[in-house]
């Protein structure tokens, strides 16, 4: 039996990865797990939670999945991609998918463009229909600075061990992502230790890559990679 865990991002919730989870449920008979990290979910309660708690929760979920499954794949979105990479280094993980993974964060040029669009919508009285405003205004108010520091510490702890990732890895990045810049995907591709890795870009995707207009194409790529159809891409 095959199991697959999908890990959401910082200040996020399962809805961020639910589209890929639903796609895999529809097209496979795999056991799919979508945990909610401590302090996350629809109501944020991040005060006083250290990043080790996020990792521990993911480890516990992975252990439960591994107890039922012969093979386990891990998909991580944004901060979840860093946690997924940690799991691949420290536990038995057969394949790894990194979606908009936050080895770096904040793409100034794209973020400025998004802010301009938000201001334009505000001027036209359409602010409440602006995706960026709706999704992030609540998070900004509910995220203590201590939680942001824990996120940064997590990134700092995982980046040095990326060269110890030796499982086949697919990296996907949106070209219009204002939160995680393309250089994050390039960094991951260069530094992940496996010889079997693939990097793809989704042209019109912003940060929530699983919700982009091209998500069906992305999900097909992910499933093909996980099922190992055809030859894996290997670096020289």
């Amino acid at each position: 039996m095959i199991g697959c865990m999908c890990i959401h991002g910082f200040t996020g919730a399962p809805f961020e990865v639910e589209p890929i989870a639903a796609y895999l449920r529809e097209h496979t008979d795999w056991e799919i797990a979508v945990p909610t990290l401590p302090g996350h979910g629809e109501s944020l309660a991040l005060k006083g939670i250290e990043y080790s708690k996020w990792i521990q929760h993911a480890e516990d979920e992975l252990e439960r999945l591994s107890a039922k499954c012969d093979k386990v794949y891990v998909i991580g979105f944004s901060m979840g991609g860093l946690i997924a990479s940690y799991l691949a280094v420290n536990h038995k993980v057969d394949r790894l998918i990194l979606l908009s993974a936050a080895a770096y964060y904040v793409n100034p040029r794209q973020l400025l463009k998004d802010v301009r669009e938000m201001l334009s919508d505000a001027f036209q009285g359409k602010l409440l229909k602006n995706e960026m405003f709706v999704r992030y205004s609540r998070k900004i108010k509910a995220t203590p600075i201590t939680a942001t520091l824990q996120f940064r510490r997590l990134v700092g702890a995982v980046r040095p061990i990326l060269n110890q990732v030796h499982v086949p890895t697919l990296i996907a990045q949106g070209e219009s992502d204002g939160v995680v810049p393309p250089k994050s995907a390039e960094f991951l591709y260069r530094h992940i230790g496996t010889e079997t890795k693939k990097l793809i870009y989704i042209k019109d995707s912003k940060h929530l890559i699983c919700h982009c207009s091209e998500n069906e194409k992305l999900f097909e790529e992910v499933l093909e990679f996980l099922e190992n159809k055809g030859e894996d891409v290997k670096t020289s």
Side-chain angles (χ1 to χ4, degrees):
M1 186 175 183
I2 294 175
C4 183
M5 179 164 64
C6 305
I7 309 173
H8 65 76
F10 178 60
T11 71
F15 86 88
E16 293 178 329
V17 291
E18 188 53 43
I20 183 66
Y23 181 89
L24 293 175
R25 290 189 190 102
E26 181 181 350
H27 291 84
T28 72
D29 59 356
W30 301 350
E31 181 80 13
I32 308 296
V34 188
T36 301
L37 299 175
H40 291 74
E42 294 306 313
S43 298
L44 296 177
L46 291 164
K47 187 175 181 180
I49 296 179
E50 298 181 354
Y51 77 83
S52 59
K53 297 293 184 183
W54 303 331
I55 290 177
Q56 183 63 57
H57 186 77
E59 288 180 313
D60 292 343
E61 290 293 322
L62 181 64
E63 184 177 340
R64 277 191 277 272
L65 199 58
S66 298
K68 297 188 287 184
C69 302
D70 305 309
K71 289 185 177 181
V72 175
Y73 307 141
V74 180
I75 298 173
F77 164 73
S78 196
M79 182 185 78
L82 277 296
I83 295 174
S85 299
Y86 177 92
L87 296 178
V89 170
N90 293 280
H91 300 272
K92 183 184 180 298
V93 171
D94 294 278
R95 287 189 171 243
L96 179 64
I97 307 291
L98 304 179
L99 305 176
S100 308
Y104 286 94
Y105 34 88
V106 182
N107 180 353
R109 183 177 297 178
Q110 181 62 42
L111 189 60
L112 180 60
K113 181 179 177 182
D114 290 342
V115 169
R116 284 174 176 163
E117 289 178 1
M118 185 169 63
L119 291 174
S120 175
D121 285 344
F123 183 75
Q124 297 175 52
K126 300 186 296 182
L127 187 59
L128 294 179
K129 295 182 179 180
N130 182 279
E131 180 183 358
M132 180 180 176
F133 176 81
V134 171
R135 291 196 184 278
Y136 292 105
S137 60
R138 177 185 65 88
K139 290 184 179 183
I140 291 171
K141 294 175 183 177
T143 305
I145 188 65
T146 52
T148 303
L149 291 174
Q150 290 300 316
F151 164 60
R152 293 173 66 94
R153 287 172 183 163
L154 172 61
V155 175
V158 175
R159 282 177 56 172
I161 64 171
L162 289 171
N163 64 344
Q164 298 176 45
V165 174
H166 295 302
V167 300
T169 302
L170 172 67
I171 303 160
Q173 174 67 40
E175 292 186 12
S176 300
D177 191 336
V179 178
V180 172
K183 73 174 182 178
S184 180
E186 294 156 11
F187 177 89
L188 290 165
Y189 185 78
R190 288 197 311 271
H191 288 84
I192 279 179
T194 183
E195 292 184 352
T196 305
K197 51 190 171 182
K198 183 177 182 181
L199 171 59
I200 61 173
Y201 291 97
I202 307 300
K203 182 174 175 57
D204 295 323
S205 174
K206 293 184 182 294
H207 188 51
L208 291 171
I209 195 168
C210 290
H211 292 264
C212 74
S213 61
E214 300 170 90
N215 63 0
E216 189 79 12
K217 178 182 176 182
L218 169 65
F219 300 162
E220 288 173 1
E221 288 257 16
V222 168
L223 182 56
E224 182 176 323
F225 188 86
L226 291 176
E227 291 183 327
N228 193 20
K229 291 180 178 177
E231 293 186 2
D232 282 328
V233 175
K234 293 189 177 182
T235 59
S236 56

